[in-house]
Amino acid sequence: MGFVDLINVKKYYGRENPIPAVIDFNLSVEKGEFVTLLGPSGCGKTTTLRMIAGFETVTMGKILIDGVDVTYLPPNKRNVGMVFQSYALFPNMNVFENIAFGLRVKKKSETEIKKRVEEMLNLIHMQEFAMRYPHQLSGGQQQRVALARALAVYPEVLLLDEPLSALDAKIRVELRSEIRAIQQKLNITTIYVTHDQEEALTMSDRVVVMNKGMIEQVGTPQEIYNNPKTHFVASFVGTLNFINTKVVDKNKGILEVAGQKFDIGRPLSEFAHEIITVAIRPERFKIIPDENSTNSLEGTVSKVTFMGAIVRIKVKLGDSVVSCDTFNNPSLELPEIGDKIKIYFSKEDLLILSA
Ligand code: ATP
């Protein structure tokens, strides 16, 4: 058992024609862990988070926090703190009073409130903003205050619902590491919702990839990125080339594309089909071989896009077009459209996702 456990949780909206929003959700979050629910719009992330907070009822299943069944407890009895995308600060209260709010509800003494709010202001580096009102703050500052307000009451679990989505790109990146640093400092168990894969990969101990109300895969950011278990995870997280290939030798794992053979390095006996799809990340292709290059394919350059740090070269291989990302460097001679090009890769980098 973990610190937060969801056991066979289901959520259906509506009575007449119930719509499933979350289906058979099982997850165990450890104490101090930062877990992110990642998935496209409508996949059930927010519903799951709101069920943990107690803002949404559970249709079936159980939610435990620190071993206690909280499934039917109201939000204020669950000891969780929540931060929303919209900040939801009280506009008529200054920063101090916003942070103090939960402590006043809990009838803490003035001395205790002052001490705790100051601790929180230090934590978010906003000591000098105590007397400001929300409308006098930037979006990023408002979200830090919302975080401080959620943390002020010593919650056991912190829930964040797309807290950075309303902010501009630069602040978003800054706040990612700030939130993660605060979470680690307090060692607070955190469940974070986002549809932004970069956010999920950079901030989390583990990522839960969701699709259509169900969990597709749970794993560390590296596991999710390097070993996606399903087609959905592979295409939702990062960029991936899918190549349809003909099976030449099932036992040896030899495939063919555009009349060229390559070795996948493992038997393919579990696949019944003669055509299988393999996948490879654009950055795993090399235009200059290295020590891991066990295979190569020749194709024709169909597009070259300079993107700053990297250059994306599109290469036509028979009916497929693959993207190949290479680091930009001043000595790199860029190919031109129509050039023949050899792309190199390692058999280790090939993913077989489906027959
Ligand atoms: P987003 O990123 O857009 O917020 P999400 O992954 O958080 O999406 P949810 O908001 O949890 O997804 O919604 C899951 C499903 O439940 C969707 O199909 C949505 O339309 C439906 N849904 C959510 N809230 C309600 C509601 N109050 N009544 C009926 N259906 C709802």
Side-chain angles (χ1 to χ4, degrees):
M1 207 152 59
F3 193 71
V4 179
D5 289 290
L6 286 92
I7 305 164
N8 296 326
V9 170
K10 287 191 181 69
K11 174 69 188 183
Y12 289 86
Y13 283 111
R15 282 180 180 213
E16 301 273 297
N17 292 307
I19 305 163
V22 177
I23 306 157
D24 295 332
F25 196 99
N26 285 288
L27 181 70
S28 198
V29 180
E30 297 302 322
K31 175 118 187 78
E33 203 180 11
F34 190 120
V35 169
T36 297
L37 309 183
L38 171 71
S41 182
C43 74
K45 312 177 292 287
T46 298
T47 301
T48 306
L49 201 73
R50 290 175 61 83
M51 286 192 288
I52 302 169
F55 296 133
E56 203 62 76
T57 57
V58 172
T59 311
M60 256 185 267
K62 266 200 240 180
I63 298 177
L64 311 182
I65 297 178
D66 199 8
V68 176
D69 188 341
V70 299
T71 318
Y72 301 103
L73 289 184
N76 60 347
K77 295 268 164 27
R78 294 192 186 198
N79 208 6
V80 298
M82 185 140 172
V83 177
F84 304 89
Q85 180 183 341
S86 56
Y87 327 135
L89 295 177
F90 305 113
N92 55 334
M93 290 183 195
N94 64 24
V95 167
F96 185 100
E97 287 305 323
N98 263 284
I99 299 175
F101 182 80
L103 299 163
R104 293 208 190 282
V105 171
K106 286 185 188 281
K107 307 243 181 305
K108 301 288 176 195
S109 72
E110 261 332 290
T111 328
E112 208 177 327
I113 291 175
K114 189 161 183 298
K115 182 168 168 280
R116 184 61 177 164
V117 172
E118 271 163 16
E119 270 171 25
M120 290 295 105
L121 285 169
N122 278 331
L123 189 71
I124 58 168
H125 308 293
M126 284 185 62
Q127 298 88 331
E128 66 277 31
F129 293 88
M131 294 306 148
R132 293 242 195 134
Y133 284 83
H135 73 272
Q136 299 169 314
L137 301 173
S138 71
Q141 289 166 338
Q142 288 187 57
Q143 199 52 304
R144 274 147 70 198
V145 174
L147 178 66
R149 182 181 60 181
L151 291 170
V153 290
Y154 304 93
E156 289 180 303
V157 181
L158 178 64
L159 305 172
L160 303 114
D161 190 3
E162 307 244 9
L164 307 181
S165 307
L167 303 170
D168 62 39
K170 190 161 175 280
I171 302 294
R172 218 155 53 210
V173 172
E174 278 171 26
L175 269 185
R176 273 183 204 164
S177 43
E178 206 170 314
I179 291 175
R180 178 60 162 154
I182 289 173
Q183 182 268 334
Q184 286 178 318
K185 188 169 176 188
L186 303 178
N187 193 36
I188 183 163
T189 311
T190 299
I191 306 176
Y192 188 99
V193 159
T194 184
H195 61 266
D196 180 329
Q197 44 152 317
E198 211 176 275
E199 233 168 80
L201 296 178
T202 52
M203 296 176 79
S204 324
D205 292 312
R206 279 191 304 155
V207 178
V208 177
V209 184
M210 293 180 68
N211 180 29
K212 296 185 181 152
M214 284 188 275
I215 294 181
E216 290 267 339
Q217 187 173 351
V218 183
T220 63
Q222 289 89 335
E223 282 164 357
I224 296 287
Y225 190 86
N226 293 332
N227 296 306
K229 294 282 180 250
T230 66
H231 203 288
F232 176 83
V233 176
S235 42
F236 189 74
V237 182
T239 309
L240 206 59
N241 293 300
F242 293 99
I243 314 169
N244 291 327
T245 62
K246 206 168 103 190
V247 179
V248 177
D249 188 326
K250 231 172 223 182
N251 296 328
K252 291 192 182 138
I254 308 292
L255 301 172
E256 185 186 298
V257 63
Q260 305 171 66
K261 293 187 182 53
F262 64 98
D263 174 9
I264 192 152
R266 52 193 179 260
L268 297 160
S269 23
E270 79 259 42
F271 295 97
H273 298 74
E274 295 310 310
I275 302 283
I276 67 167
T277 305
V278 296
I280 182 166
R281 302 254 180 229
E283 73 271 18
R284 305 314 299 173
F285 279 130
K286 304 278 178 298
I287 53 171
I288 298 163
D290 65 17
E291 68 279 9
N292 299 316
S293 306
T294 55
N295 284 298
S296 68
L297 290 168
E298 192 178 70
T300 311
V301 175
S302 65
K303 194 172 178 187
V304 179
T305 312
F306 181 76
M307 296 162 82
I310 61 165
V311 180
R312 175 160 291 180
I313 302 166
K314 292 212 170 195
V315 179
K316 197 161 166 25
L317 294 169
D319 295 335
S320 308
V321 176
V322 296
S323 293
C324 162
D325 286 351
T326 182
F327 277 116
N328 173 34
N329 81 60
S331 61
L332 181 73
E333 211 175 300
L334 291 181
E336 290 184 11
I337 294 174
D339 283 356
K340 288 268 176 255
I341 192 171
K342 243 185 173 174
I343 50 176
Y344 301 87
F345 55 99
S346 158
K347 53 191 176 198
E348 313 294 335
D349 294 327
L350 291 166
L351 304 165
I352 308 177
L353 297 160
S354 62

